[in-house]
Amino acid sequence: MSPRTNWGGNLVYAATGLVEPVSIAELQQLLPTLESPRALGSRHSFSRVADTTGVQVSTASLPRSVEVDSDRSVVRVEGGVRYAELCPALDRAGLALANLASLSHITVAGAVATGTHGSGDDTGSLATQVRALEVVGWDGELRRLGPDHPDLPGAVVSLGRLGVVAALELAVEPSYEVAQTVVEQVPLDRVLADLDAVTALGCSVSLFTTWTSPDVLDQVWVKRRGDRPTSPDPAGALGGRLAEGQRHPIPCVDPAPATEQGGVPGPWWTRLPHFRADHVPSAGREIQSEWLVPRRQAVGAIEELRGMADRLTPVLQVCEIRTVAADDLWLSGAHGTDVVGLHFTWHLDPAAVAAVLPELETRLAPFAARPHWGKVYREGELDPALLYPRWGDWRDLVRRWGASG
Ligand SMILES: Cc1cc2nc3c(=O)[nH]c(=O)nc-3n(C[C@H](O)[C@H](O)[C@H](O)COP(=O)(O)OP(=O)(O)OC[C@H]3O[C@@H](n4cnc5c(N)ncnc54)[C@H](O)[C@@H]3O)c2cc1C
């Protein structure tokens, strides 16, 4: 088998094999026969969360149906379905999801397994949309966890440790439109003086900066729902200037992959992600890291980043800061508290990234920062029991389900 890498190109998987079942029946037969199996979605994680010393189980060739149940306001999607397939189907049915990540090329099962999130004061991570799971356990048995099943809050953000998710039920709502506006050259002190007012400017607000000018944010992307009352003019509120034309989050990069801006309303799924479904997302050839800090401590954490700006910029393509609402999912980065995500898109230079992580993690440690499971952090330094109150319960759940990998 030739070496296989993740999407970003920073990882060569250690897995000794890869299987690609084409049906749930085949998956059920295969799993008990495989050594340390681990599900593999669209390979967009930068950490080893989808890796194993045994066999990866790709969901790419499993069935990909999408079944809308308007009466119950849910949609049932099979595990290998990507948001880019799901969203247009929902939109055709007049329905929508509450939130999306920055790109829709990822699988639904892979996204919820790592607590992937978008942005929004009132919206939780994509995992909070899950109402039920159908999981093929390592023993080959298909188990359904409905909304009231006591294991569901532990099984949603699973890190792929409980089996292969064959299907998920997600909450849906009536379709809505979103318009996004980009404001440039925003004074950081003005933002930090009232961060709550800034993140309330839209249903989704992202602060982007390269830290090249530590006192100025390069761009603020404000996304507003057409079915909610409008708040103040974003440029005036932020003290910046409206971008003239399309922008990529990374300054001076071709904005063609970015979703439409300029305040033009459009269907929710064509505006909530930063990147268009029909383009190669982001800059490619990159590494990502992210830490989630309690919202009430976010200003102090952002000041820590400003304090090391000159060490960040040489390694950094762009930093993104956004909010995620609290939830009760055991391994969610937003478990029990509203959080602010401090995200870094690094250059594809693993040694340089490894060199900057110790100072970054040391500065963020007093804020009980939780690393994003799908991005790069110093795994050996993490004690999850200190950060996740339900860690012990999750370990018990994994044992009960016959963990593998
Ligand atoms: C360009 C880019 C932009 C990104 N933007 C965001 C963002 O906006 N917000 C954010 O939070 N993250 C973001 N991420 C990170 C990304 O969303 C996560 O890493 C996500 O988990 C990737 O999903 P995937 O389908 O590629 O899963 P993989 O990376 O293949 O796998 C991730 C995990 O899911 C498990 N898994 C996959 N499929 C299944 C299944 N069927 N059953 C059980 N377990 C399964 C795997 O075992 C593994 O543990 C981004 C990544 C990239 C590359």
Side-chain angles (χ1 to χ4, degrees), residues 292-355:
L292 299 132
V293 300
R295 191 188 165 109
R296 62 187 175 283
Q297 293 175 285
V299 170
I302 295 168
E303 289 288 17
E304 290 295 334
L305 304 187
R306 174 154 57 177
M308 61 178 294
D310 62 334
R311 270 91 74 210
L312 292 173
T313 44
V315 200
L316 191 63
Q317 299 197 54
V318 75
C319 174
E320 181 180 8
I321 299 170
R322 49 187 167 165
T323 54
V324 188
D327 62 51
D328 63 354
L329 304 173
W330 298 356
L331 293 198
S332 164
H335 179 87
T337 177
D338 292 337
V339 290
V340 169
L342 309 173
H343 163 92
F344 304 83
T345 299
W346 309 110
H347 292 292
L348 183 55
D349 184 344
V353 173

Side-chain angles (χ1 to χ4, degrees), residues 7 38-46 49-50 59 79 101-103 106-107 109-111 113-117 158-160 163-165 282 286 288 290 322 372 374-375:
W7 177 89
R38 182 70 59 91
L40 184 65
S42 63
R43 300 180 298 113
H44 276 65
S45 293
F46 298 86
V49 70
T59 58
S102 65
L103 82 175
I106 50 178
T107 68
T114 61
T116 287
H117 60 87
S158 68
L159 316 185
V164 178
V165 172
S282 198
E286 65 190 50
Q288 295 184 7
E290 184 172 20
R322 49 187 167 165
H372 189 304
K375 303 183 183 179

Side-chain angles (χ1 to χ4, degrees), residues 32-54:
T33 70
L34 300 177
E35 187 200 333
S36 302
R38 182 70 59 91
L40 184 65
S42 63
R43 300 180 298 113
H44 276 65
S45 293
F46 298 86
S47 67
R48 293 210 174 267
V49 70
D51 202 7
T52 169
T53 53

Side-chain angles (χ1 to χ4, degrees), residues 7 30 33-34 44 56 67 78 99 101 123 139 148 158 193 200 265 284 291 311 320 333 341 356 360 384 386:
W7 177 89
L30 263 178
T33 70
L34 300 177
H44 276 65
Q56 287 175 314
E67 297 161 37
E78 294 192 282
N99 210 348
T123 31
D139 56 3
D148 300 323
S158 68
W291 289 268
R311 270 91 74 210
E320 181 180 8
V356 83
L360 192 45
L386 295 178

Side-chain angles (χ1 to χ4, degrees), residues 344-398:
F344 304 83
T345 299
W346 309 110
H347 292 292
L348 183 55
D349 184 344
V353 173
V356 83
L357 289 187
E359 180 181 355
L360 192 45
E361 292 192 341
T362 302
R363 282 180 177 261
L364 295 179
F367 304 99
R370 294 167 172 159
H372 189 304
W373 295 111
K375 303 183 183 179
V376 171
Y377 59 98
R378 291 185 304 163
E379 297 188 29
E381 302 295 315
L382 183 74
D383 183 352
L386 295 178
L387 297 175
Y388 299 90
R390 303 298 298 268
W391 177 253
D393 295 327
W394 184 77
R395 293 294 299 272
D396 290 344
L397 178 64
V398 170

